[in-house]
Amino acid sequence: MPKQPILAHRSGACFGTAMRKASRRVTQLYDDALGPCGLRSTQYAIFAELTYRDATPPTLAELAAALVMDRSSVGHNLRPLERDGYVALQAGDTDRRQRRVALTPLGQAKFREAQRLWQTAQDKFVGIYGEAASEQLRTALLSVAYDERLGTYSEGDRA
């Protein structure tokens, strides 16, 4: 394990700071692995979410909730994917203003290409931390990600 830097002002005690540092490091690992196919890890996550859902394409709001992102960030990440023909935005069945996001056949092919590259990053991470610890970490992180008791700062600020 590399030597940890001296942490001024006890910033190392902050869960948010530690989480963001770890997130940036792991994101770099996956972004580097996915680089040859032209996707970033956030775009890969969108592809995965669209692939492993039921038959009904999610709305933008549903996709944002599943990814724990705000709708504008999802929209920002979808624009180049739509431009390149990987995803299609479809009008909702009952509300024409509602948009559903679907992976196109070209997007499905891109996802299959990206999966092989993603697997190299996944294998590297598990190789370093071990299968049991990696799974425990993933489970803990998903527990935090979907714990609505945490809310958001802006929600708590309004109360």
Side-chain angles (χ1 to χ4, degrees):
M1 179 176 271
K3 183 178 177 185
Q4 293 187 5
I6 297 171
L7 301 170
H9 308 292
R10 299 236 342 117
S11 66
C14 174
F15 295 116
T17 298
M19 183 78 72
R20 290 186 66 75
K21 287 178 180 182
S23 175
R24 282 191 292 271
R25 177 71 69 188
V26 173
T27 297
Q28 289 169 356
L29 170 69
Y30 283 86
D31 282 347
D32 287 350
L34 291 166
C37 76
L39 293 180
R40 298 191 49 86
S41 56
T42 302
Q43 294 169 322
Y44 180 86
I46 290 170
F47 278 41
E49 192 62 39
L50 295 175
T51 298
Y52 299 120
R53 285 189 150 257
D54 59 22
T56 305
T59 64
L60 279 171
E62 291 167 343
L63 184 58
L67 294 168
V68 192
M69 294 173 74
D70 59 76
R71 285 182 59 188
S72 64
S73 294
V74 171
H76 174 76
N77 280 281
L78 285 175
R79 277 192 282 284
L81 300 177
E82 184 181 25
R83 178 199 66 218
D84 294 342
Y86 298 133
V87 299
L89 297 179
Q90 307 164 342
D93 297 332
T94 57
D95 185 347
R96 306 304 281 168
R97 295 170 298 173
Q98 190 180 58
R99 294 285 176 246
R100 293 196 173 275
V101 185
L103 209 53
T104 65
L106 185 62
Q108 292 167 358
K110 180 56 85 172
F111 181 64
R112 285 190 299 275
E113 174 190 352
Q115 279 181 299
R116 292 187 292 276
L117 300 169
W118 169 87
Q119 190 64 55
T120 62
Q122 193 82 343
D123 291 345
K124 182 174 183 176
F125 188 92
V126 172
I128 292 169
Y129 295 101
E131 201 161 322
S134 296
E135 185 56 32
Q136 284 179 323
L137 178 60
R138 188 185 70 77
T139 300
L141 292 172
L142 287 174
S143 175
V144 171
Y146 293 108
D147 190 336
E148 293 183 11
R149 295 175 301 171
L150 292 173
T152 64
Y153 180 78
S154 58
E155 287 171 343
D157 201 34
R158 282 187 239 133

